[in-house]
């Protein structure tokens, strides 16, 4: 593929945090209706009732299994500390091999083990546009062109905010919300991973 | 590096769980940098921590992350890796993925794409292996197209026969047929299952061998036509065609039979131009006749038992071979010392086999002589519900099989996993089973074992009885 | 030593503790109401009852499994970080070798791994006389003699309350407090370990 | 059981920590029930959980618990055990304790009390071993009684000499003397230190060997006069006479020298009526001449490296021998495969070596081929401040020393212990040290290593410089 395709522009489906994607957000997401699989045997009214029960009683989690049928509910409320904070993977004891710069000249970030730089806590309340794919982040259509957006730019749902290159495909990313760009988390030309915050939008 | 000038500086591991950790461990020993890819629920996974670099490539479902070829290739290009190790499962036997790697000038650590494709089609593989001189079970060499044709073939090879999916694996699309009047219904269900599972409803027929052993031969082949085998693994302890426990060596293989089966596998490798590590799976009938079943063109879960008795590092050899190094061993270098057993510890209810994901609240591993544990979990880890339930492999090694069993028993007794259910209690019972201790096992062992445990196990019974 | 010394009486230094040893409660002592057995189907009324039980009893988590039916509840509010921080030794997964009676005919207690039977929580506030040594507990000076103390006995500092035999030495244990014997935790002739509660004294 | 009718049903382990767990593991493999004793701070220790029965025998200080002979014997009698395994440290080399066990008809798992006593007195041991034909360093065969006598002896054997406590060990009561005018002061300090540490101020003189290697020979002897050796261990990496890291085999022992030293040790065992596992410690000078130093009449911390390269279970052999079984091996059965390294992981600041007790908040062990970890700690465990700081032993095994080093490095890199400080970073640095990698080591290695690390290490410097 390195040599095969010329640059083309594609549009990639993207999910933002506003419109919760039930499965894609993983364990740390907070949607209570995340897990139940709408199998024929599930009675939706019953489920609704279960959830109500959960909320009324301040339950965090509920699991039910029955002959191949299993329900598990977890309430979100707030960023659940037990999920990731309480027990992160133990950090490795030796930093040396991690911080050593790659000899390959790759654009690997200096703090590997996680490509993403996370949005700081002061950015809470902002709408975050996340990267829908792994790739390289570009703020403009070509090296000499103007950036699609800058801090202070107003964006609409269909405004292109950046391009993410993956396998030589240039994927236009649209805002899918409206508001003002107040944060840009990624440098031009930097690699980004799935779910990495790109822009902070103030509505 | 003697040949090929292909020494790797950096490898991407397109996998998760214990095998991703296992590959990273060897890369570290070889001084090769590693890149982990992971889904967003796997951020806290140890393979992410152990790797030098890591990228989140998608959401939890495998199809959007660990099977997401564009995301993996993108990551490989961004991090400028030399090679990709696919582990087992996921993309390990995808000839398409191997091809894309080749097209992108990224070395796929495994055999050539064309060989993967050949061995991935069961009918084609049988034909090729028959041509290469391996004994195969009597049966149709082509997918059957009608019930009439099937009936004729079944009469030729003699009942009982087994109907198998051409694209299959894992017991799906398989039915044993003991008489002509069962054949029509079996063909239909098997084909439907095969179509649902593999998007290919083709099925073929084979003679059904009663109470066979599942014996497999590990091979290592380089890119210059050199090949050796590392002896056999006994993998008859299976439930629903999923291996639970493996051993090396087998109690029933004489040195002569080992040499014969090994030579047959090595010869077949040379015929098809195989390179990398690989496994030939055979059925061994009660007269010690062996029949080729299929070939796995990748590292296997149970490779560790072979490593224990041979002191070889199979992953290291995979990487060396992919780097273009010659094999460097001859068959005479093979030394098999003692006996090794592996128990797969799954996050499952040990009685119902229902998955048991969740948070591990207490975790303690066995140590001491002759005990190896490959795992990616730890105290506080949340076992996600999205992937394979195997969370650890416990391997014991001792001078004799009896000692290896005693060692496994004590290892499992002192192993602590709380917060989720695991198959440890099941393995403890197997260690005490008189038939198992006597080495009197076959692929029917677990069914009998579970029946005698008073367990209802309808799906397994269904799969192998009719 | 088994054959060497005749029985003699010695006095052993002893430490007592005013308050009940909380750590002696052990891992297995969780809540007794943890495993009730309702019907193998989802019955909303029953579920409601279960949850009420959970709340009333301050349970954090509840799990029930029975013939393919499984329920698990977890109360939200607090995930107890102490659960992992103050983790006791993980309990061994196999109970079989532990509960099997010893074939040796030894006087080992039926629940090995801990000789001591612990003082229940209702005994809090009592002064506990603990065993200062490992040995065998005797309530009287000889098999036919009266016990040194019974429930209801009043003791003074120098009252002998029992004898603990260790290596053929008969060690007299004195109360070293005054009050009324309200609890006797150990049977006559039973082995005791260091620190094991022997008597509960109400002052 | 062939001989003696002494098969054990139940063993009390008079120890704690990893060695107590290690012994329980083997007992479980042998079907022998176990009784743990513990101090009251060790209630949550794994050896208590793993044992079939357990008793708290006293408060935290060792003198009142793990050294409390009446409490241990009481427990043994209450639980009606057949034997006591003392592990290492604590009562392992107490001839008094061995005698009491004998008097109580409880088998002490170790050599006879008289042999322990003989080898426990350094002057007596030297005399006995000299008589048994072992080369010893030139020196006084009796404690020196005056400075004049010491000076005369020193002139005979030639400076530099070393002053050593007769009852000593662990570097206390030791002084190197390079000239006559230093002798008086050295005698006085050494004697004072010895009196304080061992309640015995006797000291003797020996020729000081510059930059020797510490090489030890593992032996196994039964009660019928049969004895073999299991090759050597290289234990030169020490700080303040405490071993940090051990290997097997040594890079400098030729097969001839191994056979010669082994035969000398076996011969000495036979002369003194030794039975059980034991270790002969030698100094090896730069001309590969060896001198007997002392014998350890017990299992050693570093026994695991020998187990890795020989596939023997030394604890099992200790128990078998104590049961009255004949050895069952001849010297020809000895097979040394590959190379093994052990790193002792201590709960210590890796720079200052200050103890670092406390709660372990995260814990993860390395797995994969050729890695063994013996430990008694776990995530959530509170390392108490009362006992030895060693919390784990990491042992790696591979075909070559280079691979064993690479494997150790990656094992330590993926090993996670949080909440306390450990010596893992120190071992990682040693693994990268060019001299270590070249096998260019001596008992002076750590001093130079720490000096080049810019560490001040006054006590160690003092002990070996004068």
């Amino acid at each position: 593929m390195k040599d095969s395709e010329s640059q083309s522009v594609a549009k990639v489906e993207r999910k933002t945090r506003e419109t919760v994607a039930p499965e894609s957000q993983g364990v740390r997401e907070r949607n209570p209706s995340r897990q139940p699989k709408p199998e024929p045997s599930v009675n939706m009214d019953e489920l609704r009732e279960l959830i109500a029960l959960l909320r009324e009683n301040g339950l965090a989690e509920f699991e039910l299994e029955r002959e191949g049928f299993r329900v598990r509910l977890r309430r979100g409320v707030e960023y659940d500390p037990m999920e990731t904070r309480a027990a992160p993977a133990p950090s490795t004891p030796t930093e040396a091999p991690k911080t050593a710069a790659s000899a390959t000249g790759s654009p690997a970030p200096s703090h590997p083990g996680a490509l993403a730089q996370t949005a700081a806590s002061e950015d809470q309340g902002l709408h975050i546009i996340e990267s829908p794919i792994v790739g390289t982040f570009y703020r403009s259509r070509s090296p000499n062109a103007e950036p699609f957006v800058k801090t202070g730019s107003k964006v609409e749902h269909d405004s292109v905010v950046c391009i993410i290159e993956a396998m030589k495909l240039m994927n236009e990313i649209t805002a899918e919300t409206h508001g003002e760009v107040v944060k840009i988390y990624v440098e031009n030309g930097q690699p980004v991973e799935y779910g990495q915050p790109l822009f902070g939008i103030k509505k | 590096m003697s040949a090929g000038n292909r020494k790797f500086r950096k490898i991407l591991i397109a996998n998760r769980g214990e095998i991703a950790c296992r590959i990273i461990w060897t890369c570290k020993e070889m001084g090769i940098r590693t890149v982990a890819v992971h889904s967003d629920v796997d951020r806290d996974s140890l393979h992410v921590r152990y790797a030098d670099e890591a990228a989140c490539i998608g959401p939890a479902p495998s199809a959007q992350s660990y099977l997401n070829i564009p995301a993996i290739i993108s990551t490989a290009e961004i991090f400028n890796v030399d090679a990709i190790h696919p582990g087992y499962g996921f993309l390990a036997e995808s000839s398409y993925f191997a091809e894309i790697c080749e097209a992108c000038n990224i070395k796929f650590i495994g055999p050539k794409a064309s060989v993967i494709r050949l061995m991935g089609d069961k009918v084609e593989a049988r034909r090729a292996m028959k041509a290469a001189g391996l004994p195969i079970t009597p049966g149709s060499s082509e997918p059957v197209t009608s019930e009439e044709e099937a009936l004729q073939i079944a009469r030729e090879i003699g009942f009982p026969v087994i109907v198998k999916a051409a694209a299959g694996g894992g017991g799906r699309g398989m039915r044993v047929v003991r008489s002509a009047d069962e054949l029509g219904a079996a063909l239909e269900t098997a084909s439907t299952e095969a179509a649902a599972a593999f998007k290919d409803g083709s099925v073929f027929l084979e003679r059904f061998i009663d109470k066979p052993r599942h014996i497999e031969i590990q091979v290592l082949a380089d890119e210059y036509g050199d090949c050796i085998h590392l002896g056999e693994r006994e993998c008859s302890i299976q439930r629903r065609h999923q291996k639970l426990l493996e051993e090396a060596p087998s109690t029933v293989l004489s040195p002569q039979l080992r040499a014969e089966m090994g030579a047959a596998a090595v010869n077949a490798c040379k015929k098809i131009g195989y390179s990398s590590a690989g496994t030939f799976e055979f059925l061994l009938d009660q007269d010690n006749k062996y029949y080729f079943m299929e070939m796995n063109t990748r590292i296997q879960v149970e490779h560790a038992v072979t490593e224990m008795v041979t002191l070889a590092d199979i992953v290291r050899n995979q990487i060396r071979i992919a780097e273009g190094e010659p094999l460097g061993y001859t068959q005479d270098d093979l030394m098999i010392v003692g006996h090794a057993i592996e128990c797969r510890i799954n996050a499952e209810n040990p009685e119902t086999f229902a998955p048991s994901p969740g948070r591990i609240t207490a975790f303690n591993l066995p140590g001491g002589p002759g005990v190896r544990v490959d795992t990616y979990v730890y105290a506080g880890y949340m076992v996600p519900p999205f992937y394979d339930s195997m969370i650890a492999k416990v391997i014991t090694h001792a001078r004799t099989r009896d000692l290896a069993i005693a060692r496994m028993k004590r290892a499992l007794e002192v192993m602590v996993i709380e917060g989720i259910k695991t198959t440890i209690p099941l393995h403890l019972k197997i260690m005490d089973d008189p038939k198992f201790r006597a080495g009197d096992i076959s692929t029917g062992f677990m069914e009998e074992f579970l029946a005698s445990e008073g367990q209802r196990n309808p799906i397994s019974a269904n799969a192998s009885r009719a």
Side-chain angles (χ1 to χ4, degrees), chain A residues 65 70, chain B residues 15-19 42 62 88-90 239-240 242-244 301 343-358 360 363 374-377 381-394 415 417 420-424 426-427:
Chain A
E65 190 169 352
R70 181 159 165 250
Chain B
N15 216 303
R16 67 180 298 283
E18 68 88 21
I19 194 63
D42 272 348
S62 304
Y88 53 68
F90 295 131
R239 179 184 164 271
R240 298 175 63 181
Q242 295 293 326
K243 294 165 190 163
L244 295 176
V301 174
C343 288
R344 302 187 184 195
I345 311 302
N346 295 342
E348 289 173 2
N349 181 316
E351 291 173 1
T352 65
F353 300 97
S356 178
I360 294 174
F363 192 65
D374 285 13
T375 186
Y376 74 104
V377 305
Y381 180 72
M382 183 75 173
V383 179
F386 305 100
Y387 312 108
D388 188 86
S389 65
M390 193 181 76
I391 55 170
K393 307 189 306 201
V394 178
M415 186 165 183
I417 303 179
I420 59 170
K421 289 187 163 58
T422 75
T423 46
I424 289 175
L426 174 72
H427 285 296

Side-chain angles (χ1 to χ4, degrees), chain A residues 43-103:
Chain A
N43 179 328
M44 283 317 289
D45 288 336
E46 203 172 288
L47 251 183
R48 239 183 288 279
E49 208 176 329
L50 280 176
I51 294 168
L53 211 64
L54 213 69
R55 301 187 57 151
E56 285 162 20
N57 293 282
L59 294 180
E61 209 174 332
F62 171 86
E63 195 170 346
L64 171 72
E65 190 169 352
R66 194 175 70 182
E67 291 162 86
F69 163 73
R70 181 159 165 250
V71 164
R72 186 165 162 209
L73 301 172
R74 172 140 52 193
R75 277 223 305 162
V77 192
E78 63 338 305
Y79 191 87
D80 187 351
M82 54 175 282
E83 277 314 316
T84 40
R85 261 223 318 271
S91 58
T92 46
T94 49
E95 287 303 313
K98 294 237 158 191
T99 50
S102 160

Side-chain angles (χ1 to χ4, degrees), chain B residues 192-220:
Chain B
T192 309
E193 266 184 42
F198 315 113
K199 291 177 184 159
D200 176 1
S202 316
V203 295
F204 64 100
L205 291 190
E206 261 179 24
R207 179 189 291 161
F208 175 67
I209 297 165
D210 202 28
K211 298 202 175 177
R213 285 170 184 263
H214 175 125
I215 303 283
E216 57 190 35
I217 301 284
Q218 174 74 52
V219 295
L220 287 178

Side-chain angles (χ1 to χ4, degrees), chain B residues 116-249:
Chain B
I116 298 175
R117 183 175 301 110
L118 173 69
M119 301 314 283
D121 181 313
K122 291 209 173 183
V123 174
E124 282 301 314
R126 269 167 63 92
R127 194 177 318 176
M129 289 300 104
K130 193 177 178 182
L134 285 187
I136 59 169
T137 44
S140 60
S141 53
E142 301 283 339
V144 294
T145 51
S146 69
E147 192 180 334
E148 291 70 41
E149 188 196 343
L151 191 61
Q152 192 193 327
I153 294 169
R155 289 207 164 116
E156 273 168 29
I157 61 182
F159 284 99
V161 297
I162 185 162
V163 182
K164 283 186 174 177
R172 286 169 299 183
M174 275 197 197
R175 283 293 178 284
V176 176
V177 181
R178 299 194 180 266
S179 63
D181 56 335
E182 294 173 2
L183 189 59
L187 281 173
E188 202 175 310
T189 1
S191 180
T192 309
E193 266 184 42
F198 315 113
K199 291 177 184 159
D200 176 1
S202 316
V203 295
F204 64 100
L205 291 190
E206 261 179 24
R207 179 189 291 161
F208 175 67
I209 297 165
D210 202 28
K211 298 202 175 177
R213 285 170 184 263
H214 175 125
I215 303 283
E216 57 190 35
I217 301 284
Q218 174 74 52
V219 295
L220 287 178
D222 69 16
E223 297 182 347
Y224 312 104
D226 224 354
C227 181
I228 62 167
H229 71 86
L230 299 181
E232 82 283 7
R233 291 186 287 260
E234 158 70 82
C235 311
S236 301
I237 309 287
Q238 306 180 349
R239 179 184 164 271
R240 298 175 63 181
H241 297 269
Q242 295 293 326
K243 294 165 190 163
L244 295 176
L245 183 161
E246 302 94 353
E247 304 180 53

